[in-house]
Every structure is written in structure tokens, then in C-alpha cells.
Amino acid sequence: MCVLPHECVQIVNVWPFRIPVLGLYAKFSGYLNIRMMSHESFMAQATKLLSEGVSIIFFPEGTRSASRTMGNFHGAAFRLALESGATVVPICITGNENIPPQGSLLLRPGTIRVRRLPSIAWDEYKDLNAFAFKNRVWHTIDEELSVMEGENSKFQIPNYK
């Protein structure tokens, strides 16, 4: 996400702040620790960032999948979008489930593919509740991941297990 050409802040869980060096960068970069903030504080800070033109990056599963199956989405990103009227840009990431294997600090080579999906303007989701909106986005990403996985089968990508 750090190569995106926009000013952005990531919404993260507690663990990035506990990693030596990376934790300091996360703190100084203004990452928002969603587990250590009240809902009100999170919404206020995130809405302020959006109003300043800062993009907010969420990983709605809350963690990296250990398989090629997408998990359930948490609702905070979708509640924020509904409250702030922000445009949502879904991004599909595939190939990262084993790079590195969960619980390992050993890095291995591999291919991770990222695809940006069409933006979803507030007018397109304003009449949905957070649950319906997150499910719509989940299904949109799931469909695109299926396409990307089909494309992956054309390449010889190692599967490290």
C-alpha cells in the first residue's frame, strides 16, 4: 500500500505497533489502531482525515487469509464510508496467503497480484446499511478474485506451503 500515489493512512490492529521499528513508523505515520480507540474517537479521526484529502486503507477481513478463501468482513470501514460519504475503492490482492507463511518471519519469493476495482461513489451505496454494503463489496471482490485466480492458473506461480 505504501506505493500508492496518494497520502494515506492505514487502519490496523494492535500487532503492527508491537513490531520493532515498524511500530514506530506506524505511530509516526498516523496509522489508526482500531482496537485501541473508542468508536467515537475512531470515527472522528478518520472523518477528519478524509475531509483533509487523506485516503484511508482498510483490510476489512482484519487479517491476511491463510488460504485463498476470503473471510468475513468487519463493518467499521463501511460504517465510516456511510457516515462520511466517502468514495470506496475496492482492491483485490491475491497470492499473499503464504508470503510469508503466517507465524513465520522468513521471507520467500512469490508473486502477489493487486487489482483496483471501479470506485463506488456514495450515491451508489447511500441507501444501503453497513451490513448490506459490506456484503455487496465482499461479493464484488470475491467475483474478481475468482477471475484473478483463473488468470493465475495460466502462470507457473509456486505455491509454498
Side-chain angles (χ1 to χ4, degrees), residues 69-85:
T69 303
M70 201 168 39
N72 293 324
F73 282 3
H74 295 280
F78 305 96
R79 286 189 295 277
L80 174 62
L82 282 162
E83 190 170 307
S84 67

Side-chain angles (χ1 to χ4, degrees), residues 106-146:
L106 181 63
L107 298 178
R108 301 186 218 195
T111 301
I112 297 173
R113 298 178 62 212
V114 179
R115 182 168 294 163
R116 179 188 185 269
L117 299 181
S119 301
I120 306 169
W122 186 73
D123 284 343
E124 297 176 59
Y125 68 84
K126 68 181 180 184
D127 296 325
L128 300 175
N129 62 33
F131 183 77
F133 185 35
K134 80 175 180 175
N135 285 334
R136 174 183 164 190
V137 173
W138 189 97
H139 286 290
T140 300
I141 291 173
D142 189 51
E143 288 173 10
E144 187 62 28
L145 286 172
S146 294

Side-chain angles (χ1 to χ4, degrees), residues 1-157:
M1 298 297 113
C2 66
V3 298
L4 293 174
H6 309 285
E7 183 178 1
C8 56
V9 167
Q10 291 190 49
I11 307 305
V12 295
N13 210 327
V14 175
W15 68 266
F17 291 94
R18 293 183 179 154
I19 298 174
V21 182
L22 179 61
L24 289 173
Y25 284 112
K27 181 179 178 183
F28 292 131
S29 297
Y31 285 19
L32 299 179
N33 183 339
I34 198 159
R35 296 280 183 206
M36 300 302 288
M37 301 173 75
S38 70
H39 172 74
E40 294 76 18
S41 176
F42 167 74
M43 293 299 276
Q45 286 186 38
T47 301
K48 181 178 183 291
L49 287 167
L50 287 168
S51 72
E52 293 171 353
V54 177
S55 295
I56 296 186
I57 299 172
F58 273 92
F59 296 92
E61 288 175 275
T63 187
R64 177 172 56 108
S65 291
S67 71
R68 293 181 181 234
T69 303
M70 201 168 39
N72 293 324
F73 282 3
H74 295 280
F78 305 96
R79 286 189 295 277
L80 174 62
L82 282 162
E83 190 170 307
S84 67
T87 298
V88 174
V89 182
I91 297 176
C92 295
I93 303 172
T94 185
N96 65 323
E97 63 275 356
N98 292 313
I99 305 173
Q102 284 194 339
S104 172
L105 296 177
L106 181 63
L107 298 178
R108 301 186 218 195
T111 301
I112 297 173
R113 298 178 62 212
V114 179
R115 182 168 294 163
R116 179 188 185 269
L117 299 181
S119 301
I120 306 169
W122 186 73
D123 284 343
E124 297 176 59
Y125 68 84
K126 68 181 180 184
D127 296 325
L128 300 175
N129 62 33
F131 183 77
F133 185 35
K134 80 175 180 175
N135 285 334
R136 174 183 164 190
V137 173
W138 189 97
H139 286 290
T140 300
I141 291 173
D142 189 51
E143 288 173 10
E144 187 62 28
L145 286 172
S146 294
V147 170
M148 292 172 73
E149 290 298 320
E151 293 170 0
N152 277 347
S153 66
K154 297 176 188 175
F155 303 99
Q156 301 232 339
I157 298 174

